[in-house]
Amino acid sequence: MSTIDWSELPLDVLGYLTSFLPLPDYHRFGAVCKNWSIVVRERHHRPAQQLPWYILGEESSTGKRVFLNLAENKHYYMDIPELHEHFVCGSSFGWLFGVDIHMNIRMVEPFSRKSYNLPPLDFSPAILNDPDHNWEVLKAISDHDPSERSDFTVMVVGYNYRVAFWRHGDPTWTIPYKSYGAINDVIFFKGKFYAIGYVCSDQIFVVDVGLGPDAELISLEHQVPMLPNTYKYLAEFKGELLVLQIQKARGIASGTRNEAWPCPHKGTTNIVVHKLDLDLEGKSCFECEHLDNHALFVGNNSL
């Protein structure tokens, strides 16, 4: 019986096999031989769905970025020089977004080391001279994978809970017209960017980035019952748009003396989730009592 040379399998077959591998095994696969490495670099198939990885910051002695793989309960240490002294403010399609003290934003694919340097983000000139402005980018996402298409757009939530976007090739960021309160979260869903208001807001917005400098946040009519004083997030789940409202214990939050304000550092007292149907008139919704044993990770990130 002849021996099978696995390194000579057709590239399309090898690529298909990689779609069943979790991320660590996906990259171990690429270290086997030249042909297998080509398949991983070309990324015709994504790794299998898995739990997200936590980014824990840099190791002080080496500067390596520390990741926690929840599925394995294991730490990985990666040297990503492009993100040294950067605060990681988001991720999309496996790309990481980092912002430095001067509000320069960089997006990096940590395995291929491809990167884009985005223009400095200037929400307010005053914060650039303030050493305590604390990396004023709260979240960054992209609408497409830059590895697959060049016409991608990046959107961020930043200083004073405002949003801005940058389209590949633009010389500067665009800050959409602001006739609204603060924004807490953004998402790219079925070809459009959506945003949701901060604690006291009951608004959901859609952003038409195709308008470029004339873009504005347009309030979306919806029937989601908004609870007072909750932290609000948007998430995609099985092809549907979810609106999550998280109630926190009351307390004096940073920057306010209002003891009735929900404090982000205190425990969660209640979570209410609604599915929002954007296809129907009136933007109908209904409350979700369970997620079929699935878990959602919300915050300053994007899966």
Side-chain angles (χ1 to χ4, degrees), residues 138 157-158 160-163 180-186 195-205 217 226-234 244-246 248 253-256 261-265 300:
L138 306 176
V157 181
N160 204 24
Y161 296 94
R162 298 169 69 187
V163 297
Y180 54 88
I183 295 297
N184 192 64
D185 194 22
V186 293
I196 193 166
Y198 194 52
V199 172
C200 293
S201 172
D202 61 357
Q203 292 179 295
I204 301 173
F205 304 91
L217 269 73
M226 293 295 190
L227 303 177
N229 296 331
T230 55
Y231 291 94
K232 302 171 179 67
Y233 298 92
L234 299 171
L244 295 88
Q245 300 180 71
I246 300 176
K248 295 280 189 176
S254 176
T256 177
W261 192 267
C263 183
H265 305 298
N300 300 337

Side-chain angles (χ1 to χ4, degrees), residues 42 46 57 128 133 135 184 187 197 246 252 293:
E42 292 182 350
R46 297 184 182 280
L128 298 179
H133 70 70
W135 319 95
N184 192 64
I187 192 173
I246 300 176
I252 299 178
N293 294 321

Side-chain angles (χ1 to χ4, degrees), residues 159-263:
Y159 177 73
N160 204 24
Y161 296 94
R162 298 169 69 187
V163 297
F165 67 86
W166 173 82
R167 298 174 301 179
H168 185 225
D170 286 354
T172 60
W173 290 81
T174 296
I175 301 176
Y177 175 69
K178 182 178 182 295
S179 60
Y180 54 88
I183 295 297
N184 192 64
D185 194 22
V186 293
I187 192 173
F188 185 75
F189 178 76
K190 292 187 176 180
K192 295 181 180 179
F193 283 102
Y194 294 90
I196 193 166
Y198 194 52
V199 172
C200 293
S201 172
D202 61 357
Q203 292 179 295
I204 301 173
F205 304 91
V206 61
V207 190
D208 186 355
V209 299
L211 296 176
D214 297 322
E216 59 182 294
L217 269 73
I218 301 172
S219 184
L220 188 72
E221 293 184 8
H222 65 83
Q223 296 180 0
V224 179
M226 293 295 190
L227 303 177
N229 296 331
T230 55
Y231 291 94
K232 302 171 179 67
Y233 298 92
L234 299 171
E236 182 176 358
F237 178 69
K238 294 185 175 181
E240 298 185 272
L241 183 61
L242 301 187
V243 179
L244 295 88
Q245 300 180 71
I246 300 176
Q247 292 180 317
K248 295 280 189 176
R250 304 303 174 98
I252 299 178
S254 176
T256 177
R257 296 181 180 276
N258 185 359
E259 293 187 7
W261 192 267
C263 183

Side-chain angles (χ1 to χ4, degrees), residues 15-16 18-21 26 43-49 92-95 144-145 148:
Y16 178 69
T18 63
S19 67
F20 296 94
L21 300 177
Y26 182 87
R43 293 185 65 182
H44 292 301
H45 294 271
R46 297 184 182 280
Q49 289 286 335
S92 285
F93 306 101
W95 291 70
H144 297 105
D145 186 346
E148 297 180 356

Side-chain angles (χ1 to χ4, degrees), residues 55-58 63 65 80-90 96-108 116-118 135:
I55 303 176
L56 303 178
E58 293 183 343
R65 189 71 57 171
I80 312 175
E82 295 85 354
L83 292 180
H84 285 179
E85 298 184 353
H86 282 64
F87 171 73
V88 176
C89 54
L96 301 179
F97 296 89
V99 56
D100 69 11
I101 195 69
H102 302 293
M103 299 295 285
N104 297 304
I105 298 180
R106 177 175 290 167
M107 56 188 305
V108 179
Y116 288 92
N117 292 320
L118 281 57
W135 319 95

